[in-house]
Amino acid sequence: MDKIRIKGGRPLRGKIPISGAKNAALKLMAASLLTDEVLALSNVPQLADIATMANLLGQHGVSIGLNGSNATPGHTMELRAATITNVTAPYELVRKMRASIMVLGPLVARCHAAKVSLPGGCAIGTRPVDLHIAALERMGAEITLDDGYINASAPKGLRGAEIVFPIVTVTGTENAMMAATLAKGETLIVNAAREPEVADLAHCLVAMGAEIDGIGTDRLRIVGKDRLHGASHTIIPDRIEAGTFVMAVAMTDGDVELIGARQEHIQSACDVLARAGVAVEKTGQGLRVCRSGVLRGVDVTTEPFPGFPTDLQAQMMTLMCVAEGASMITETIFENRFMHVPELARMGADITVHGSSAMVRGVPKLKGAPVMATDLRASGSLVLAGLAAEGETTLSRIYHLDRGYERLEEKLRACGAEIERIRG
Ligand code: UD1
């Protein structure tokens, strides 16, 4: 299995282009199931998860054309679900990626039936899909769970309903929203997720002929249509990738412009970072990051958007490992999302976990060590630790990184990092 080797201690300097958002792209690809016409997506990142979603859609009968190469970042993908040949999403594909659940809503909406394996994915807590199921049931689907599969049917089609989510769920909101675009009548989604990826999906659905009000708010009103049509859509930049690089620059005391990054997508992180001594400023092309003073420990709590994203928690914790003073990091979205802590401790970090909070006491330097990636964002945090540490760090199980960070080593190397992939 491939590994990444990093020789730490070099400040990052230069420019880093931000790729299209993985967590927007995956749902936008699934949205192609809602129409028999072509959905053309631009700025698609080249990632393992995107390939998994393409495989899954392919076996539902979607034809997919991809243009672009490494020389021209931001691929264009044309998806056409002229006829859906199969409504089953099998375990072998779904277990690789939780976001496979995104085919459930569109399949039931268009084909009035779906059989989707219960998902696997990142090992960060139990992560049920009960709220996706409850939302579709509200819209008239009959759902049973048999042999690890969700069997959904709505012989007369879905009908609009009021769906009140008891907690904020990103993919749950997206599944309900996609299903509602082809349901009979009006759907109201209350306590909807407000993440920029949800809004991006909604904008694309509107371009496909859907009627959606309240985009970007926690109340979405959708009037169902008989059919949707083709559209072209450009995917938003990846705010989690951008946030990860912000922390990397801060950790190495560098100075980098993140091309294409949008401040409004990571405002909560920028606010916390400003208190920690990291300046993030808008430029004509994106965001410039550098330290504004000494790194200081600050407290952080993860929350649904617009709060501090759970997908940046591990990276923030790594930054706090080398800040002056202490930092309390509280994870409220997922249980068991501190798997990076023992790995960071191997590099000399001083962290104590109490339930859903971690107390980080800053140390002057981390030290390179062999470490292991446990999930996607934890892997990102270990790369950051390696970039700032004294000596050499080798990161194994990097298939997690390949799921979500496009050309990571290349982007970091261009800014002066000593980082290489060891094939094995
Ligand atoms: C999405 C993101 C993920 C991010 C997360 C929170 C994608 C592909 N993934 O995941 O990167 O970390 O949002 O911002 O977009 N829950 C239930 N029942 C459900 C659904 C969710 O109890 O049916 C719980 C989850 O266990 C979790 C919380 O709700 O505690 C929020 O999860 P959710 O927003 O659904 O996360 P995902 O959409 O899976």
Side-chain angles (χ1 to χ4, degrees), residues 172-257:
T173 300
E174 292 167 331
N175 244 335
M177 179 168 68
M178 285 197 277
T181 60
L182 290 181
K184 270 192 203 86
E186 188 177 305
T187 297
L188 183 66
I189 304 179
V190 179
N191 199 22
R194 288 179 283 166
E195 270 65 5
E197 294 78 17
V198 181
D200 200 36
L201 174 63
H203 288 303
C204 177
L205 293 170
V206 168
M208 293 167 73
E211 193 178 325
I212 306 176
D213 286 338
I215 298 177
T217 75
D218 62 357
R219 277 175 87 87
L220 295 169
R221 196 183 65 89
I222 301 129
V223 180
K225 301 283 172 190
D226 290 338
R227 61 184 302 274
L228 298 187
H229 52 71
S232 297
H233 180 81
T234 301
I235 297 168
I236 54 169
D238 196 313
R239 66 193 167 103
I240 305 302
E241 187 198 22
T244 303
F245 286 129
V246 170
M247 316 272 181
V249 176
M251 270 206 89
T252 60
D253 200 2
D255 188 342
V256 168
E257 188 177 7

Side-chain angles (χ1 to χ4, degrees), residues 22-24 26-27 49 97-102 122 124-134 165 167-174 193 195 197 239-240 303-305 309-312 332-335 337 376-377 403:
K22 169 184 82 86
N23 281 352
L26 293 171
K27 297 65 177 285
D49 274 8
M97 185 182 67
R98 267 187 65 80
S100 308
I101 191 73
M102 294 318 309
C122 279
I124 47 173
T126 45
R127 303 186 78 173
V129 288
D130 55 316
L131 301 175
H132 299 238
I133 293 172
F165 283 115
I167 52 174
V168 176
T169 160
V170 173
T171 46
T173 300
E174 292 167 331
E195 270 65 5
E197 294 78 17
R239 66 193 167 103
I240 305 302
E303 283 167 348
F305 191 86
T310 173
D311 286 351
L312 286 177
T332 71
I333 310 290
F334 293 114
E335 53 193 87
R337 204 173 194 181
L376 168 55
R377 303 308 171 184
R403 290 186 45 209

Side-chain angles (χ1 to χ4, degrees), residues 79 91 94 140 262 289 306 315:
L79 305 103
Y91 175 65
V94 177
R262 292 197 200 154
V289 190
Q315 300 89 316

Side-chain angles (χ1 to χ4, degrees), residues 98-149:
R98 267 187 65 80
S100 308
I101 191 73
M102 294 318 309
V103 300
L104 179 64
L107 284 175
V108 186
R110 175 147 163 218
C111 308
H112 303 172
K115 182 177 174 186
V116 177
S117 170
L118 286 161
C122 279
I124 47 173
T126 45
R127 303 186 78 173
V129 288
D130 55 316
L131 301 175
H132 299 238
I133 293 172
L136 291 172
E137 282 176 336
R138 289 280 299 163
M139 299 172 81
E142 279 183 22
I143 298 190
T144 55
L145 297 181
D146 310 297
D147 304 326
Y149 277 81

Side-chain angles (χ1 to χ4, degrees), residues 39-387:
L39 177 63
L41 299 175
S42 323
N43 204 23
V44 181
Q46 203 174 32
L47 296 167
D49 274 8
I50 298 292
T52 304
M53 182 57 92
N55 279 343
L56 179 61
L57 293 174
Q59 64 84 49
H60 290 308
V62 182
S63 62
I64 300 180
L66 187 65
N67 299 308
S69 68
N70 277 348
T72 52
H75 300 259
T76 302
M77 187 182 265
E78 287 195 352
L79 305 103
R80 182 160 193 215
T83 7
I84 292 174
T85 49
N86 174 10
V87 295
T88 302
Y91 175 65
E92 305 79 71
L93 284 173
V94 177
R95 77 182 168 85
K96 286 193 186 170
M97 185 182 67
R98 267 187 65 80
S100 308
I101 191 73
M102 294 318 309
V103 300
L104 179 64
L107 284 175
V108 186
R110 175 147 163 218
C111 308
H112 303 172
K115 182 177 174 186
V116 177
S117 170
L118 286 161
C122 279
I124 47 173
T126 45
R127 303 186 78 173
V129 288
D130 55 316
L131 301 175
H132 299 238
I133 293 172
L136 291 172
E137 282 176 336
R138 289 280 299 163
M139 299 172 81
E142 279 183 22
I143 298 190
T144 55
L145 297 181
D146 310 297
D147 304 326
Y149 277 81
I150 304 165
N151 273 302
S153 81
K156 291 187 187 145
L158 295 174
R159 51 169 197 272
E162 183 171 316
I163 298 164
V164 182
F165 283 115
I167 52 174
V168 176
T169 160
V170 173
T171 46
T173 300
E174 292 167 331
N175 244 335
M177 179 168 68
M178 285 197 277
T181 60
L182 290 181
K184 270 192 203 86
E186 188 177 305
T187 297
L188 183 66
I189 304 179
V190 179
N191 199 22
R194 288 179 283 166
E195 270 65 5
E197 294 78 17
V198 181
D200 200 36
L201 174 63
H203 288 303
C204 177
L205 293 170
V206 168
M208 293 167 73
E211 193 178 325
I212 306 176
D213 286 338
I215 298 177
T217 75
D218 62 357
R219 277 175 87 87
L220 295 169
R221 196 183 65 89
I222 301 129
V223 180
K225 301 283 172 190
D226 290 338
R227 61 184 302 274
L228 298 187
H229 52 71
S232 297
H233 180 81
T234 301
I235 297 168
I236 54 169
D238 196 313
R239 66 193 167 103
I240 305 302
E241 187 198 22
T244 303
F245 286 129
V246 170
M247 316 272 181
V249 176
M251 270 206 89
T252 60
D253 200 2
D255 188 342
V256 168
E257 188 177 7
L258 301 174
I259 308 297
R262 292 197 200 154
Q263 191 157 23
E264 66 272 23
H265 289 174
I266 50 168
Q267 192 59 55
S268 59
C270 294
D271 293 345
V272 167
L273 286 164
R275 288 192 281 117
V278 182
V280 182
E281 292 162 11
K282 271 192 191 171
T283 64
Q285 287 189 290
L287 296 174
R288 178 184 166 206
V289 190
C290 58
R291 278 199 202 162
S292 56
V294 181
L295 264 186
R296 287 179 300 273
V298 290
D299 294 345
V300 184
T301 301
T302 62
E303 283 167 348
F305 191 86
F308 189 95
T310 173
D311 286 351
L312 286 177
Q313 179 258 106
Q315 300 89 316
M316 184 69 195
M317 188 183 295
T318 307
L319 178 64
M320 293 292 95
C321 287
V322 292
E324 269 183 16
S327 156
M328 178 72 90
I329 299 193
T330 305
E331 171 60 56
T332 71
I333 310 290
F334 293 114
E335 53 193 87
N336 197 16
R337 204 173 194 181
F338 286 142
M339 283 177 333
H340 40 287
V341 170
E343 300 302 309
L344 290 170
R346 304 191 66 244
M347 298 179 72
D350 180 353
I351 308 171
T352 318
V353 175
H354 301 278
S356 60
S357 292
M359 169 63 84
V360 185
R361 293 184 177 84
V363 294
K365 275 248 174 259
L366 294 176
K367 297 198 174 65
V371 287
M372 201 174 73
T374 50
D375 67 58
L376 168 55
R377 303 308 171 184
S379 324
S381 75
L382 296 173
V383 171
L384 301 197
L387 290 172

